[in-house]
Amino acid sequence: MEVKTGNDRGHFIDNERVEPPTTLAGWRRFVEKDSATHQLVSPEHRKTMSDTARDTDDERRIDYHSELQVVRTSTVERVCHQGRLLTLLNRREHGARRGLILSGERTTGKTTALRQLGRTHELRTRQRYPSGRRIPVVYVTAPPKGSPRKLAIEFARFLGLPVISPRHNTVDITSTVCQVLIEAQTDLVLVDEIHLMNLATSAGEELSDHLKYFTEHLPATFAYAGIDVENSGLFTGIRGDQLAGRCTLLHTGPFPLNDEWEGLVATMEGTLRLHHHAPGTLPDLHKYLHHRTSGMIGSLSHLIRAAAISAILDGSERITRRQLNSIHVDYASERAFRGGDREAG
């Protein structure tokens, strides 16, 4: 359903509710949703469109650019390859299963890579077992100031289990979750924001023990992602040593200024749907874009998508360096760029 707003552009708002991927319905939508597409109308056709039709087309292009276009970077490829190796190694394992930890700075693509690992695995599993009765992948985030009960509730929420009441203790919730996941033949569990779990605290120790319970009672591969995991307290003490001994650690980081970076910029430019944008403009600015974003893939995506939407709103229909300079991204990138040499590139 679309509802017309009261602004002068006649914008339309899509009222479809999008479930987050931390619920089963939201995860399945994420897995099944094809990459966003939009066919750019010809200049001749656009001239013949009514104001309302043109505004509607603009809104659809804004929606298209607002959606993250996933680029298969070397990081995503590496994570998907390593994740698949571990799921295959763990397939017949009856003892301690090996896991995967992604660690890196903010906006370096950790969550994107983790979700793409899950999506790739689920699509492959569906192809192998098309009945549709399985839940191959679970995706949750570590709860802030976490406790075993909070973690168990995150799993229960993903599965859509009945409302948890205060009379349900942690053991009851955990046992129910494990039983459902075993019956659903879940074989990949993704836990994001794992840096929130600090084993140097008593709460972190309890949460770690509870997560260990899940790993020992579920025949699944566990993959985690977090910010600067090595220094977050996750590998502290005996529990941390045990986790470190069971998991492969992969790092994500800023992209160096090299051919891959220039290719990423060119790929993102290829996703633009602007009427007057000159192809090759962004690749020509790849050095500037690297300086502007410190090589962070998340910041680059934000900058280009925001510039595209701005170009639609102001009617210019092209991205220029002047316009890119006017777009604000995350504070860390802004501080590095605006406080340093802005003439790079």
Side-chain angles (χ1 to χ4, degrees):
M1 177 180 178
E2 292 183 332
V3 179
K4 191 170 182 179
T5 65
N7 61 39
D8 57 2
R9 280 180 56 84
H11 286 177
F12 290 79
I13 297 176
D14 183 358
N15 281 343
E16 180 185 1
R17 184 171 182 268
V18 178
E19 290 278 354
T22 49
T23 66
L24 182 57
W27 176 258
R28 285 178 169 168
R29 183 183 184 277
F30 166 75
V31 170
E32 294 163 1
K33 185 170 174 38
D34 294 328
S35 298
T37 58
H38 184 86
Q39 186 66 41
L40 199 63
V41 301
S42 67
E44 294 75 18
H45 178 55
R46 185 170 173 83
K47 290 178 182 178
T48 66
M49 296 170 69
S50 66
D51 290 343
T52 300
R54 193 177 298 114
D55 284 344
T56 300
D57 182 65
D58 287 349
E59 273 302 309
R60 286 173 178 160
R61 287 191 295 133
I62 288 172
D63 286 344
Y64 165 81
H65 288 108
S66 70
E67 184 172 337
L68 176 65
Q69 306 295 308
V70 176
V71 179
R72 295 287 290 194
T73 65
S74 58
T75 300
V76 171
E77 296 288 355
R78 185 159 44 100
V79 170
C80 288
H81 175 70
Q82 187 63 43
R84 187 180 188 194
L85 283 180
L86 289 172
T87 57
L88 293 175
L89 284 169
N90 289 333
R91 183 178 290 174
R92 303 297 181 185
E93 180 62 66
H94 296 290
R97 293 173 179 82
R98 301 293 171 176
L100 176 65
I101 297 177
L102 308 184
S103 175
E105 301 174 54
R106 50 55 192 191
T107 68
T108 53
K110 297 180 301 300
T111 293
T112 297
L114 190 70
R115 291 179 182 177
Q116 287 303 307
L117 166 61
R119 183 175 188 269
T120 300
H121 179 76
E122 177 141 345
L123 291 174
R124 187 179 290 117
T125 302
R126 290 185 184 187
Q127 187 175 33
R128 189 178 180 192
Y129 304 102
S131 68
R133 290 191 292 269
R134 292 177 176 242
I135 303 177
V137 179
V138 168
Y139 175 76
V140 298
T141 58
K145 297 182 180 180
S147 67
R149 180 181 176 82
K150 286 182 178 179
L151 180 63
I153 289 175
E154 289 298 317
F155 280 96
R157 181 180 294 115
F158 179 91
L159 295 169
L161 298 182
V163 177
I164 307 297
S165 69
R167 68 176 181 274
H168 292 118
N169 61 43
T170 303
V171 175
D172 292 336
I173 302 170
T174 302
S175 297
T176 300
V177 166
C178 284
Q179 186 61 38
V180 171
L181 293 181
I182 290 171
E183 292 176 357
Q185 297 177 287
T186 300
D187 51 9
L188 181 60
V189 177
L190 310 177
V191 184
D192 210 347
E193 308 292 342
I194 197 65
H195 56 272
L196 297 176
M197 193 172 76
N198 188 338
L199 301 194
T201 67
S202 58
E205 289 179 352
E206 292 177 3
L207 186 58
S208 174
D209 289 341
H210 200 64
L211 192 55
K212 183 171 176 286
Y213 177 90
F214 275 116
T215 64
E216 292 176 344
H217 287 75
L218 293 176
T221 298
F222 278 67
Y224 313 91
I227 298 173
D228 195 18
V229 170
E230 307 94 304
N231 299 310
S232 69
L234 189 66
F235 295 139
T236 301
I238 296 175
R239 293 173 176 83
D241 287 342
Q242 190 175 50
L243 185 63
R246 290 183 177 181
C247 290
T248 298
L249 181 67
L250 295 182
H251 288 93
T252 64
F255 284 85
L257 183 57
N258 57 13
D259 290 343
E260 183 179 10
W261 176 261
E262 188 172 358
L264 290 175
V265 172
T267 298
M268 288 189 181
E269 184 181 69
T271 68
L272 297 178
R273 298 295 181 267
L274 300 173
H275 289 286
H276 304 309
H277 183 79
T281 299
L282 296 187
D284 286 345
L285 293 173
H286 73 278
K287 292 181 180 179
Y288 158 80
L289 290 169
H290 189 272
H291 183 56
R292 180 70 201 278
T293 63
S294 301
M296 300 295 188
I297 186 67
S299 301
L300 177 68
S301 174
H302 178 174
L303 179 61
I304 291 178
R305 291 185 295 124
I309 292 173
S310 177
I312 295 172
L313 293 175
D314 65 23
S316 66
E317 295 287 340
R318 60 168 60 90
I319 296 178
T320 63
R321 176 163 173 163
R322 180 189 294 274
Q323 184 197 44
L324 289 166
N325 269 334
S326 71
I327 302 294
H328 289 267
V329 290
D330 56 276
Y331 174 67
S333 294
E334 291 293 333
R335 179 178 56 190
F337 172 69
R338 301 187 188 278
D341 177 15
R342 296 178 56 169
E343 298 304 316

